[in-house]
């Protein structure tokens, strides 16, 4: 979830404008029908740049990736698709969405890709993984799920372009090795201080904290109110502030793309109490182009906060 002082409607308009510019730049009108893009590359489309970066890592120079949402200020929950989005989807050989209610706009968009293979990360997460979208839809923070998605992408790209199947598999293997390193570093970050508790302004990094075996001590009423964009109960906010001011938690994990008066207050109180604030995001931050570098930065920040 993304939020700031602008209205959801305005965010949707901003998102649409950003996506329009991106699709025009990425497609350039040079795509041909049947899923083959510029230079004979396969057209692949992702709901957000997070999953787009996974497509790029596995597909390499054989794919032309369009990420519908690639702006840190865009909101998948309120995004309104454009004709250019529909055109990109219609030409796609493969689409990849998050699912779980996170990017419903993309489910409808992918339906227009009649000939494309449609992958959904949440469907993958439900197979042999502890990540469950009915519990928390932010499954890109589940390293096991990301690895499974990479394998699925390699398989489907290999079916679309058999001559390059081994390359896709090799790319996925190399990518998964880096993801496994992130898993190890995250586990080590929490192992140094067992029993660590944190407050989260929103449960975006749920699976990251779970991997580190860090307890999210945020009152349920607080989390639910932030998620539902409703008023946080006074008792829940008071409990959060008490945990912070009494330093009963080690850090505050803050969704930097959700900005409300309440989250500002929580972050400010943490800083006043001398507690580290770990900023996390739902899409790639400005200037970041790939999943591994993004997650490396977030894992390092969490590790530093837990062991400061």
């Amino acid at each position: 979830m993304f939020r700031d002082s602008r209205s959801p409607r305005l965010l949707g308009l901003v998102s649409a404008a950003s996506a329009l510019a991106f699709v025009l730049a990425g497609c350039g009108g040079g795509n041909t029908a049947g899923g083959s893009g510029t230079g004979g590359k396969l057209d692949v489309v992702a709901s957000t740049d997070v999953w787009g970066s996974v497509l790029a890592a596995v597909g390499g120079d054989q794919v032309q990736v369009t990420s519908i949402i690639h702006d840190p200020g865009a909101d998948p929950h309120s995004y309104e698709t454009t004709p250019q989005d529909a055109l990109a989807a219609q030409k796609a050989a493969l689409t990849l969405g998050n699912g779980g209610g996170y990017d419903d706009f993309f489910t409808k968009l992918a339906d227009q890709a009649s000939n494309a293979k449609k992958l959904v990360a949440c469907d993958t997460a439900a197979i042999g993984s502890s990540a469950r979208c009915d519990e928390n839809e932010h499954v890109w923070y589940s390293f096991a799920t990301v690895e499974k998605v990479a394998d699925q992408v390699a398989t489907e790209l290999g079916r679309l372009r058999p001559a390059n199947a081994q390359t896709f598999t090799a790319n996925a293997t190399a990518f998964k090795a880096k993801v496994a390193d992130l898993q190890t570093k995250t586990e080590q970050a929490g192992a140094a201080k067992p029993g660590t508790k944190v407050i989260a302004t929103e449960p975006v990094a749920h699976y990251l904290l779970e991997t580190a075996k860090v307890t999210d001590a945020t009152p349920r009423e607080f989390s639910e109110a932030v998620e539902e964009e409703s008023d946080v109960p006074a008792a829940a906010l008071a409990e959060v502030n008490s945990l912070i001011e009494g330093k009963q938690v080690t850090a505050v994990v803050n969704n930097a793309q959700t900005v409300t008066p309440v989250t500002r207050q929580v972050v400010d109180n943490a800083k006043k109490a001398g507690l580290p604030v770990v900023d996390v995001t739902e899409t790639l931050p400005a200037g970041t182009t790939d999943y591994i570098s993004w997650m490396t930065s977030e894992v390092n920040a969490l590790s530093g906060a837990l062991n400061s």
Side-chain angles (χ1 to χ4, degrees), residues 1-3 8 77 137 201-203 220-233 258 260:
M1 180 187 305
F2 301 74
R3 227 160 20 256
H77 295 282
E137 71 269 28
T201 60
E202 192 175 358
R220 180 181 295 274
E221 295 81 2
F222 181 97
S223 297
E224 289 178 349
V226 173
E227 283 275 277
E228 296 169 6
E229 301 185 46
S230 59
D231 292 337
V232 175
T258 294
T260 71

Side-chain angles (χ1 to χ4, degrees), residues 5-23:
S5 56
R6 295 174 290 179
S7 68
R9 171 65 179 170
L10 180 56
L11 280 171
L13 294 175
V14 171
S15 303
S18 300
L20 170 60
F22 179 71
V23 172

Side-chain angles (χ1 to χ4, degrees), residues 246-291:
K247 293 190 176 181
Q248 298 176 55
V249 293
T250 300
V252 167
V253 179
N254 174 53
N255 181 2
Q257 290 169 316
T258 294
V259 182
T260 71
V262 169
T263 62
R264 286 194 191 99
Q265 179 183 339
V266 169
V267 169
D268 288 345
N269 285 347
K271 292 178 179 178
K272 290 177 183 176
L275 293 180
V277 175
V278 180
D279 283 336
V280 296
T281 59
E282 298 184 47
T283 56
L284 303 184
T288 302
T289 59
D290 68 281
Y291 179 85

Side-chain angles (χ1 to χ4, degrees), residues 43-46 55 89 92-97 106 110 113 116-120:
D43 279 317
V44 294
V45 180
L55 290 175
L94 182 148
T95 66
L96 174 58
F106 192 72
K117 175 63 182 180
K118 302 172 183 64
L119 298 180
V120 180

Side-chain angles (χ1 to χ4, degrees), residues 34-258:
S36 292
T38 304
K41 296 182 179 183
L42 289 169
D43 279 317
V44 294
V45 180
S47 61
T48 71
D49 54 10
V50 173
W51 295 117
S53 69
V54 176
L55 290 175
V58 177
D61 60 9
Q62 294 298 310
V63 298
Q64 180 170 302
V65 181
T66 297
S67 297
I68 301 300
I69 290 182
H70 71 289
D71 179 353
D75 184 353
H77 295 282
S78 62
Y79 182 75
E80 298 179 15
T81 58
T82 69
Q84 286 72 24
D85 297 337
L87 179 62
Q90 290 164 10
K91 292 183 176 182
L94 182 148
T95 66
L96 174 58
N98 189 81
Y102 181 75
D103 48 5
D104 285 341
F105 80 90
F106 192 72
T107 301
K108 300 172 184 176
L109 194 66
D111 286 343
Q112 300 180 47
S114 56
N115 297 320
K117 175 63 182 180
K118 302 172 183 64
L119 298 180
V120 180
C122 274
D123 292 348
T124 301
I127 303 173
S129 171
S130 62
R132 294 179 40 152
C133 276
D134 58 353
E135 175 186 334
N136 189 296
E137 71 269 28
H138 307 107
V139 291
W140 59 88
Y141 275 106
S142 163
F143 296 131
T145 296
V146 172
E147 289 184 11
K148 289 176 181 293
V149 170
D151 279 336
Q152 276 201 332
V153 170
T155 296
E156 297 305 331
L157 289 178
R159 289 172 179 166
L160 290 167
R161 191 157 284 183
N164 299 106
Q166 290 186 346
T167 297
F168 298 138
T169 299
N171 288 347
T173 299
F175 175 75
K176 289 192 300 175
K178 295 176 182 178
V179 175
D181 286 343
L182 288 170
Q183 171 92 16
T184 299
K185 290 178 181 178
T186 305
E187 291 171 350
Q188 292 173 342
K193 287 187 178 180
T196 297
K197 297 179 181 180
V198 300
I199 287 292
T201 60
E202 192 175 358
V204 171
H206 169 81
Y207 297 113
L208 188 68
L209 297 177
E210 188 174 72
T211 298
K213 292 184 171 56
V214 170
T215 299
D216 182 352
T218 312
R220 180 181 295 274
E221 295 81 2
F222 181 97
S223 297
E224 289 178 349
V226 173
E227 283 275 277
E228 296 169 6
E229 301 185 46
S230 59
D231 292 337
V232 175
L237 180 56
E239 183 178 351
V240 166
N241 288 332
S242 177
L243 289 169
I244 291 172
E245 292 164 5
K247 293 190 176 181
Q248 298 176 55
V249 293
T250 300
V252 167
V253 179
N254 174 53
N255 181 2
Q257 290 169 316
T258 294

